Amino acid sequence: MGDMEKWPEIEKAATEKRRELVFQGPGVDKRISSNGGLASALYSLTLLNYLEVSQCPSLTEIHEDIQHLTNLQSLILCRNKLASIPNVVGNLKSLKVLDLSVNNLSVLPEGIAQLRELNTLNVSCNNLEVLPEGLSQCTKLSTINISKNHITGFPADFYSERLELLSTLVASDNSIEQLSGDIHKLAALKVLDLSNNKLTEIPSDLSDCPKLKDINFKGNKLSDKRLEKMVNGCQTKSILDYLRGKGKGKGEDAGEADGGRKADKGKRQQRKKKEKVAEDEVEELNKMVVRVLHVSDTPETLNVTVSAEVKDVRPYLVCCVVRGMNLKPGNALKRFLVAQTKLHDDLCGKRTTATIATHDVQLLKAPLIYGVKPPTQLKVVALGRKEMTAVELIRHLQLEADELRKQKKRQNVTGLHKYLQLLQGKTMYPCLVDAEGHVISFPPITNSEKTKIKKTTKELFLEVTSAASLQTCKDVMDALIVKMAELNKFTAEHREEAGSDGEGDGPQEPAASGETSSELIVQQVRTVDQDGNLKVVYPSKTDLSNNISNLTVMW
């Protein structure tokens, strides 16, 4: 019973015949270190369908007995120091979600190709150089994230009609040198991110992906410089239209070279004229450089005091104030909220890595304190709800998540379930409190209806919290600000009328030429400890330093 005494969670799961089990954080890490790994009794819990072991740097390997957990549908082993995964993982025939992100993996087991039910594979932030052959046998795959590795290319069988459900492929920050024209065989592909790789060409066949809505090729040195400008400044549709025309152009050139019919001179001139207009539009997009200004030493500088108690709960926080974000026209607010949700799902790992909250500065009562409260004493007016304690709110959310799972007939744990479990076992919950004692943010669960942003919001207070690291917070905040800059530029270029989505205050006069500005002003916010000592200031000179060609940061 030695294992059971050290690991009461295992005993409880066994006696209560539980289906879900989560091990996370420093306390668990100490036990793994002293035990030389996970308790062997864990592998006898054959009823489990959800197992998560995360944020445990002492976890460097998983025992082959993992194969006994044949009912597992979600296996989450993220943010550890795993150097390998046993090939017997392929025996987990019911597995639908496999998350091995943020580890030290240099190779993936070939057994992954045997997981016929797998729909989500996340192996981002590792040291992988290749993907295993046979992934096309995982015919139910819908989401693959291999970002931040050293991968140089995709296996030959990857571009396969068998992956008919694959809708999201995130492969940014690798060393991928070539994208095959067979990419068009992935007929369900909606999102493709190959930013920051070593691509020199984008195949024109990409335009034959019928459902493609969101592509990102920024950070690649493309040989077609006009296409490179478009990649850095245009929307997905424009790029696909260009690739489509380029593909057709090749056919015409070949025909002419073979002595076929020459295009009508008038049509050729018309086409050239259109191409010149398109090129001028691209140039103009890049001339409209988005400038993010860093404003320091302003009289109304906002500080956030961080209490010592958050260290053991959710210790990392960065904040800033953004002015100049135009949320009033058309669907601008909706686009911003959709972008925030996408960041939560992707970069923030469905809120398990970090959480973003946005507030209307005019509704904030400074000074702000980031601290902790017992679950029964933490009261918050969650978005779209009445005031209730944290205990009541989480109970409501859990019931809603369970109901959603039943409705969709899904046995795997939803994103909502995942982030609710982050507070499991905590005696104190993190919260951001204003000068009147109101909780305006309860990460990672919700922020408050009291400070909710609207179309009329002119200044936004942004907050990112994490239990992982300060750099994680900064990376997410950087990405959020860059996305806001892109959206603001889009809003400035597409002069929609205010109120077109039913939320505005009536039609907006079109701005005169030169009056519409997409410039953002980012004001520093300092977080200090209870003695007033500086903990972090954002943005600092090292932040927002990514090489983004159409973004100028002025300090």
Side-chain angles (χ1 to χ4, degrees):
M1 286 297 292
D3 271 356
M4 296 298 196
E5 290 170 6
K6 284 184 184 176
W7 304 80
E9 303 96 331
I10 296 176
E11 182 177 16
K12 186 176 181 183
T15 55
E16 296 180 1
K17 297 183 179 180
R18 294 184 62 180
R19 299 294 199 272
E20 300 173 1
L21 192 57
V22 176
F23 292 111
Q24 188 181 67
V28 175
D29 187 52
K30 286 178 183 176
R31 283 185 277 168
I32 290 174
S33 179
S34 62
N35 192 61
L38 289 165
S40 57
L42 171 65
Y43 304 115
S44 65
L45 301 176
T46 54
L47 292 177
L48 286 180
N49 60 38
Y50 180 90
L51 174 63
E52 176 176 344
V53 186
S54 59
Q55 300 180 39
C56 297
S58 296
L59 186 64
T60 57
E61 60 181 3
I62 294 292
H63 197 276
E64 289 194 349
D65 285 347
I66 189 78
Q67 65 183 308
H68 299 313
L69 304 183
T70 52
N71 285 310
L72 273 185
Q73 297 189 4
S74 294
L75 179 58
I76 313 298
L77 298 171
C78 61
R79 311 196 78 81
N80 301 302
K81 294 287 185 183
L82 290 171
S84 64
I85 298 293
N87 199 50
V88 294
V89 73
N91 294 335
L92 303 178
K93 302 299 184 183
S94 299
L95 206 61
K96 295 182 178 181
V97 178
L98 180 59
D99 187 344
L100 304 173
S101 59
V102 199
N103 279 288
N104 289 334
L105 298 173
S106 55
V107 66
L108 292 175
E110 293 180 359
I112 286 180
Q114 299 168 29
L115 301 174
R116 300 293 190 266
E117 297 298 313
L118 195 66
N119 63 46
T120 301
L121 176 64
N122 186 351
V123 292
S124 59
C125 303
N126 278 287
N127 301 311
L128 302 172
E129 295 184 3
V130 294
L131 293 173
E133 296 282 346
L135 277 180
S136 62
Q137 297 174 52
C138 304
T139 55
K140 293 187 179 179
L141 269 171
S142 66
T143 300
I144 299 176
N145 187 342
I146 58 172
S147 60
K148 297 187 178 179
N149 280 284
H150 309 297
I151 293 168
T152 55
F154 296 101
D157 77 315
F158 183 77
Y159 307 103
S160 169
E161 290 97 339
R162 298 182 68 184
L163 293 175
E164 60 182 359
L165 301 178
L166 185 62
S167 63
T168 300
L169 175 58
V170 180
S172 56
D173 298 285
N174 278 287
S175 300
I176 296 170
E177 297 175 351
Q178 186 177 20
L179 183 64
S180 168
D182 288 338
I183 187 76
H184 76 274
K185 293 180 180 179
L186 303 176
L189 201 60
K190 293 180 181 177
V191 177
L192 177 62
D193 187 348
L194 280 161
S195 57
N196 300 318
N197 276 282
K198 295 184 177 179
L199 295 170
T200 57
E201 304 286 341
I202 301 176
S204 58
D205 305 74
L206 184 67
S207 62
D208 293 329
C209 290
K211 295 187 177 179
L212 204 54
K213 301 290 184 195
D214 188 358
I215 59 176
N216 188 354
F217 286 96
K218 293 178 182 178
N220 288 284
K221 293 185 177 178
L222 302 177
S223 56
D224 184 334
K225 295 306 174 187
R226 181 179 168 197
L227 179 58
E228 187 174 49
K229 285 180 181 179
M230 294 187 78
V231 160
N232 290 329
C234 285
Q235 302 297 309
T236 295
K237 186 179 182 301
S238 304
I239 297 167
L240 293 178
D241 286 347
Y242 178 80
L243 290 172
R244 199 171 287 117
K246 192 177 176 187
K248 288 177 182 175
K250 283 181 180 176
E252 289 172 4
D253 290 345
E256 285 181 8
D258 291 334
R261 249 184 248 165
K262 292 186 179 182
D264 177 78
K265 185 178 178 182
K267 287 184 178 178
R268 264 206 321 256
Q269 288 176 338
Q270 193 175 11
R271 189 173 68 231
K272 284 182 181 178
K273 188 176 180 181
K274 285 182 179 177
E275 287 176 356
K276 181 69 171 65
V277 169
E279 196 166 352
D280 289 344
E281 286 176 356
V282 173
E283 291 289 346
E284 186 60 28
L285 277 169
N286 283 275
K287 283 176 187 173
M288 292 179 69
V289 176
V290 179
R291 290 178 291 178
V292 181
L293 297 182
H294 165 216
V295 179
S296 61
D297 299 324
T298 53
E300 64 276 17
T301 294
L302 190 59
N303 290 343
V304 180
T305 301
V306 179
S307 71
E309 291 82 5
V310 296
K311 183 180 179 184
D312 300 320
V313 184
R314 195 174 182 84
Y316 305 109
L317 166 79
V318 297
C319 307
C320 67
V321 172
V322 173
R323 298 191 185 97
M325 186 71 186
N326 189 1
L327 300 174
K328 197 168 186 179
N331 290 316
L333 176 60
K334 195 175 290 184
R335 281 193 293 269
F336 174 58
L337 296 176
V338 168
Q340 186 179 329
T341 300
K342 192 171 186 301
L343 281 172
H344 265 148
D345 288 346
D346 299 341
L347 190 57
C348 298
K350 295 190 181 294
R351 304 198 203 187
T352 58
T353 305
T355 309
I356 301 163
T358 57
H359 309 270
D360 189 326
V361 171
Q362 299 303 314
L363 303 175
L364 286 179
K365 308 291 185 188
L368 304 177
I369 296 175
Y370 180 54
V372 297
K373 286 179 180 285
T376 53
Q377 294 178 25
L378 194 163
K379 291 186 177 182
V380 61
V381 182
L383 292 171
R385 299 174 189 267
K386 63 180 182 180
E387 185 177 68
M388 59 182 80
T389 66
V391 175
E392 293 169 326
L393 176 61
I394 289 178
R395 188 184 302 124
H396 276 276
L397 291 172
Q398 191 69 56
L399 288 171
E400 288 170 12
D402 289 338
E403 185 59 34
L404 180 66
R405 187 167 62 172
K406 288 175 187 174
Q407 287 174 6
K408 295 193 175 181
K409 296 181 180 178
R410 294 191 305 192
Q411 294 303 310
N412 58 306
V413 175
T414 65
L416 187 55
H417 275 82
K418 284 179 72 173
Y419 76 77
L420 288 177
Q421 289 169 344
L422 295 177
L423 296 176
Q424 201 170 40
K426 303 286 187 188
T427 56
M428 293 288 191
Y429 286 174
C431 55
L432 188 64
V433 181
D434 70 7
E436 296 179 347
H438 295 132
V439 173
I440 62 168
S441 180
F442 171 26
I445 308 299
T446 183
N447 49 312
S448 172
E449 184 76 23
K450 291 178 181 293
T451 57
K452 177 181 173 181
I453 64 170
K454 301 181 288 294
K455 293 174 79 72
T456 53
T457 299
K458 291 185 170 61
E459 294 181 72
L460 291 88
F461 178 77
L462 309 181
E463 134 209 2
V464 176
T465 62
S466 174
S469 71
L470 181 61
Q471 192 57 49
T472 297
C473 290
K474 291 187 164 200
D475 290 346
V476 171
M477 187 69 90
D478 283 359
L480 176 60
I481 289 174
V482 170
K483 177 52 70 176
M484 289 172 74
E486 290 176 358
L487 290 173
N488 223 33
K489 182 155 77 85
F490 179 87
T491 300
E493 291 164 357
H494 298 74
R495 294 174 186 170
E496 304 162 287
E497 289 185 346
S500 66
D501 62 356
E503 295 181 31
D505 301 322
Q508 178 174 284
E509 294 276 337
S513 178
E515 285 182 11
T516 303
S517 172
S518 61
E519 180 177 290
L520 290 184
I521 298 173
V522 182
Q523 180 184 322
Q524 280 186 328
V525 170
R526 298 173 176 85
T527 60
V528 298
D529 64 20
Q530 288 167 306
D531 297 323
N533 300 311
L534 181 67
K535 289 176 69 70
V536 64
V537 60
Y538 183 92
S540 68
K541 283 285 187 179
T542 56
D543 302 318
L544 293 168
S545 56
N546 288 338
N547 228 354
I548 302 164
S549 59
N550 63 331
L551 179 71
T552 300
V553 182
M554 297 182 63
W555 298 91

